Amino acid sequence: MRIVDLIRKKRDGGELTREEIKFLVDGCTSGAVPDYQLSAWLMATLLRGMTRAEIAALTEAMLHSGEVLNLSALPGKKVDKHSTGGVGDKTSLVIAPAVAAAGLYVPMISGRGLGHTGGTLDKLESIPGFNVNLSLGEFRRVLAACGCALIGQTAEIAPADKKLYALRDVTGTVESPALICGSIMSKKLAEGIDVLVLDVKTGSGAFMKREEDAVHLAELMVETGVRMGKRVVALITDMDQPLGRYVGHALEVEECIYVMRGEVRNDLSELCIELSAWMFLLGDRVATIEEGKQLAAQMISSGKALAKFREIVGLQGGDPATIDDPRLLPKAQSTRDVASPGTGFIASIACEQIGVASCVLGGGREKKEDSIDPAVGIVLHKKRGDRVVSGEPLCTIHYNSDARLDEARRLIELAYRIEPEPPRRARPLVHGIIGGK
Ligand code: URA
């Protein structure tokens, strides 16, 4: 078999066999296939799509590119949640400790920033000392000790995803339902979980801009998980504006601390409670979603979620003092307000542009080897439906270099649409639910 023939077959709209996909994924994992051939195949796949059989073969090959954990020795349900990615999408940092604090195990393997979206690993690494690169032995130890561990793909777990994810990030090949399904489900199925809650984003800041595409992706992932014997639900949730008010790695950790202190109630806290409730329900911790929501809210109001987060940070090498004093997180040297050009109501926010603005400031990668600046980002003062007066700040940019400050400012200015009347219809936070039976 030759890789170039597989690229050409996909380029011409053909269907790859299970063996051909395994050959490609194995070559990716071993390093035998160079990045330029993988990138060409990724682009052909994005443009031509994959059949259900190809997606199943891809997920299986990626899952078995590394070890599949067996956590059955731990007494209790193992549950996890994963998002398809968005802007200001930081729910994992609240959900993982909240759910672990209520007695379930959360073995969470996350990703880095992808395209215009931020990744959980990059956010966690903004906490001084936090180590997301635990060995599997350490991962198990932290999980057994406190009920939760948060790591990235290792050389042992779904290594094919680690490689493909980094390439997709910088080659414009993220927005493929087949590749997203393979990426998410290979990592998640390798974790040794019983339950998976998927947060499938839709709207201007999501990879799936149209709701029907989000539903299609959700169905693919739920079907894949159920076939592998897991209890899976997908919530289709809104990403038509940033989630919460903070965008950028350290800034997002800060907002999560405020949520866990019970100081902030907004769309972010609401979604954290909703997703945690599904984890409790499918993990047999509660009998109804309402009970699940109450339990999640209780974990926050009692301070147990925050205490658990502090414990996780400490066990993974981070400085727990940061959790009590977010001023210890990396801070940008400068801030600049973006003023509203008019008076009226925020009709919409082109959410992807806010994510790109954060990347331009140094919060994202443009090449595989780029490092990111954890301190930069954007704090939104106005969200959809809010009234604004001309000259009032729409948001504040946090930056360390003014090299691309004007570009970021321009992106933000263009992202906001201001109308004389408030928007007629509110967009729901949860658009739909797939699976979960
Ligand atoms: N999250 C992942 O882990 N993979 C994707 O492809 C998208 C979001």
Side-chain angles (χ1 to χ4, degrees):
M1 237 184 267
R2 292 190 323 154
I3 295 294
V4 65
D5 295 329
L6 306 189
I7 297 170
R8 291 171 67 212
K9 186 170 176 187
K10 184 44 72 186
R11 179 199 68 191
D12 297 338
E15 180 178 14
L16 300 189
T17 66
R18 196 161 167 264
E19 291 66 36
E20 287 170 335
I21 289 174
K22 185 170 179 331
F23 180 68
L24 232 151
V25 172
D26 287 351
C28 160
T29 312
S30 70
V33 182
D35 285 359
Y36 53 82
Q37 283 189 312
L38 288 172
S39 302
W41 169 73
L42 286 169
M43 185 55 82
T45 301
L46 176 115
L47 294 172
R48 290 299 194 167
M50 275 186 152
T51 63
R52 286 287 222 262
E54 285 180 299
I55 295 171
L58 177 70
T59 309
E60 198 190 356
M62 289 174 71
L63 167 65
H64 293 294
S65 66
E67 208 174 304
V68 178
L69 291 181
N70 180 350
L71 298 175
S72 55
L74 293 173
K77 285 272 174 11
K78 278 63 95 185
V79 302
D80 194 9
K81 87 95 215 174
H82 198 86
S83 158
T84 55
V87 180
D89 179 16
K90 50 190 98 63
T91 61
S92 293
L93 273 56
V94 175
I95 290 173
V99 171
L104 297 179
Y105 286 100
V106 187
M108 190 178 272
I109 298 174
S110 302
R112 297 200 174 274
L114 196 57
H116 64 281
T117 70
T120 302
L121 297 182
D122 296 323
K123 291 169 202 177
L124 288 168
E125 280 183 345
S126 72
I127 301 171
F130 196 101
N131 181 11
V132 297
N133 300 310
L134 301 184
S135 69
L136 280 190
E138 289 164 333
F139 178 64
R140 284 175 192 275
R141 220 170 17 256
V142 173
L143 188 60
C146 75
C148 177
L150 302 153
I151 61 165
Q153 298 105 308
T154 63
E156 297 129 315
I157 294 181
D161 181 52
K162 187 173 184 164
K163 180 84 160 278
L164 293 176
Y165 194 93
L167 283 176
R168 287 168 59 217
D169 185 26
V170 291
T171 55
T173 52
V174 174
E175 297 92 340
S176 148
L179 296 176
I180 296 177
C181 177
S183 165
I184 293 181
M185 296 311 285
S186 63
K187 280 196 285 281
K188 298 288 127 176
L189 295 170
E191 285 175 350
I193 45 170
D194 307 299
V195 168
L196 179 60
V197 175
L198 293 161
D199 180 5
V200 181
K201 302 290 190 193
T202 186
S204 62
F207 294 123
M208 302 292 119
K209 309 266 185 264
R210 298 181 322 163
E211 192 163 331
E212 55 266 41
D213 296 332
V215 169
H216 169 64
L217 173 61
E219 285 169 353
L220 283 179
M221 291 197 289
V222 170
E223 185 185 300
T224 306
V226 169
R227 198 176 48 238
M228 304 293 283
K230 311 296 175 193
R231 296 177 89 175
V232 190
V233 69
L235 275 67
I236 312 290
T237 75
D238 198 57
M239 187 36 72
D240 212 41
Q241 62 177 342
L243 189 63
R245 291 197 177 264
Y246 290 39
V247 177
H249 301 95
L251 288 167
E252 293 188 36
V253 173
E254 188 177 334
E255 188 172 26
C256 288
I257 293 172
Y258 298 146
V259 166
M260 284 186 276
R261 282 183 185 168
E263 290 169 5
V264 165
R265 294 234 176 111
N266 57 11
D267 52 350
L268 168 64
S269 57
E270 190 184 333
L271 188 57
C272 290
I273 287 176
E274 189 81 37
L275 293 167
S276 304
W278 277 97
M279 292 165 84
F280 290 140
L281 182 70
L282 296 191
D284 292 332
R285 179 68 177 72
V286 296
T288 64
I289 277 294
E290 266 326 300
E291 244 186 89
K293 287 187 193 175
Q294 280 166 20
L295 183 57
Q298 221 179 310
M299 290 302 112
I300 291 175
S301 61
S302 63
K304 287 185 180 165
L306 191 67
K308 183 58 75 179
F309 192 45
R310 195 183 294 113
E311 191 183 350
I312 298 164
V313 168
L315 285 167
Q316 293 201 217
D319 180 2
T322 324
I323 308 312
D324 301 309
D325 184 0
R327 285 173 305 180
L328 299 174
L329 287 163
K331 292 277 174 263
Q333 285 158 10
S334 312
T335 58
R336 170 87 54 95
D337 286 345
V338 178
S340 175
T343 295
F345 294 87
I346 309 300
S348 64
I349 303 174
C351 186
E352 181 169 338
Q353 271 171 238
I354 302 289
V356 174
S358 180
C359 291
V360 158
L361 294 167
R365 297 177 182 80
E366 294 187 358
K367 293 190 294 306
K368 204 152 91 15
E369 41 291 316
D370 284 351
S371 58
I372 55 156
D373 184 339
V376 298
I378 297 149
V379 175
L380 283 80
H381 306 300
K382 299 290 174 187
K383 290 190 56 172
R384 193 178 41 236
D386 287 347
R387 186 171 153 66
V388 66
V389 174
S390 180
E392 227 189 322
L394 293 170
C395 49
T396 302
I397 300 176
H398 293 237
Y399 65 102
N400 277 325
S401 150
D402 50 17
R404 296 178 75 185
L405 178 63
D406 283 343
E407 188 181 345
R409 191 178 44 78
R410 192 90 195 107
L411 280 163
I412 296 168
E413 279 169 356
L414 290 172
Y416 273 88
R417 193 163 60 82
I418 298 165
E419 297 283 347
E421 298 297 325
R424 240 182 271 137
R425 266 186 310 127
R427 278 177 73 98
L429 189 56
V430 179
H431 292 238
I433 295 169
I434 314 274
K437 300 289 179 311

